[in-house]
C-alpha cells in the first residue's frame, strides 16, 4: 500500500496544499486516490493521509473496417480499394 501524507504544524498552509493536491490527484488518470483521512495533530496542526495506487489500464477494442464482409461483396466506401486482377494473355491457337 502506498500512502501520501500531508503533515504540518501550520494548519492553514496544509489546507492550502490539499486544495491544490486533491484535484490534481483526482484528475490524474494514471493514479487512483482514496478518500483523505484526517488524523489528530497535537498543537492544532494538520495530518492527512490518503492511499494511492496505479490505475488499471483501460481496455481498448478496435474493429477493422478494411476486412471484407463474410457475404463476399464489398460495399462502396469505407474500406481499402479492391485490387485489380491481371488477365493472362490468350494463348496462341495450337497448330
Amino acid at each position: 500500500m502506498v500512502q501520501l501524507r500531508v503533515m504540518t504544524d501550520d494548519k492553514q498552509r496544509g489546507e492550502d496544499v490539499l486544495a491544490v493536491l486533491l484535484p490534481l490527484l483526482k484528475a490524474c488518470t494514471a493514479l487512483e486516490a482514496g478518500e483523505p483521512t484526517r488524523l489528530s495533530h497535537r498543537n492544532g496542526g494538520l495530518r492527512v493521509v490518503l492511499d494511492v495506487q496505479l490505475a488499471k489500464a483501460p481496455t481498448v477494442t478496435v474493429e477493422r473496417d478494411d476486412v471484407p464482409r463474410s457475404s463476399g461483396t464489398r460495399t462502396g466506401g469505407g474500406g481499402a480499394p479492391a485490387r485489380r486482377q491481371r488477365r493472362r494473355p490468350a494463348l496462341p491457337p495450337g497448330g
Side-chain angles (χ1 to χ4, degrees):
M1 170 174 42
V2 176
Q3 287 187 335
L4 292 180
R5 295 176 183 222
V6 176
M7 299 171 63
T8 179
D9 290 333
D10 183 349
K11 185 173 184 173
Q12 187 56 51
R13 186 172 186 182
E15 293 290 350
D16 292 344
V17 169
L18 281 176
V20 173
L21 180 63
L22 293 178
L24 288 174
L25 285 172
K26 289 182 188 274
C28 180
T29 59
L31 295 173
E32 290 180 1
E35 288 299 314
T37 302
R38 293 178 180 272
L39 305 173
S40 61
H41 185 284
R42 60 182 174 263
N43 300 331
L46 181 75
R47 287 179 61 192
V48 177
V49 179
L50 57 117
D51 296 330
V52 179
Q53 61 185 355
L54 292 174
K56 296 177 183 162
T59 302
V60 177
T61 304
V62 178
E63 293 183 26
R64 292 186 61 160
D65 193 30
D66 62 341
V67 177
R69 307 286 188 260
S70 61
S71 65
T73 60
R74 225 172 207 221
T75 58
R83 282 184 150 183
R84 285 186 163 181
Q85 292 185 357
R86 284 197 271 165
R87 294 183 183 219
R88 288 183 143 185
L91 294 174

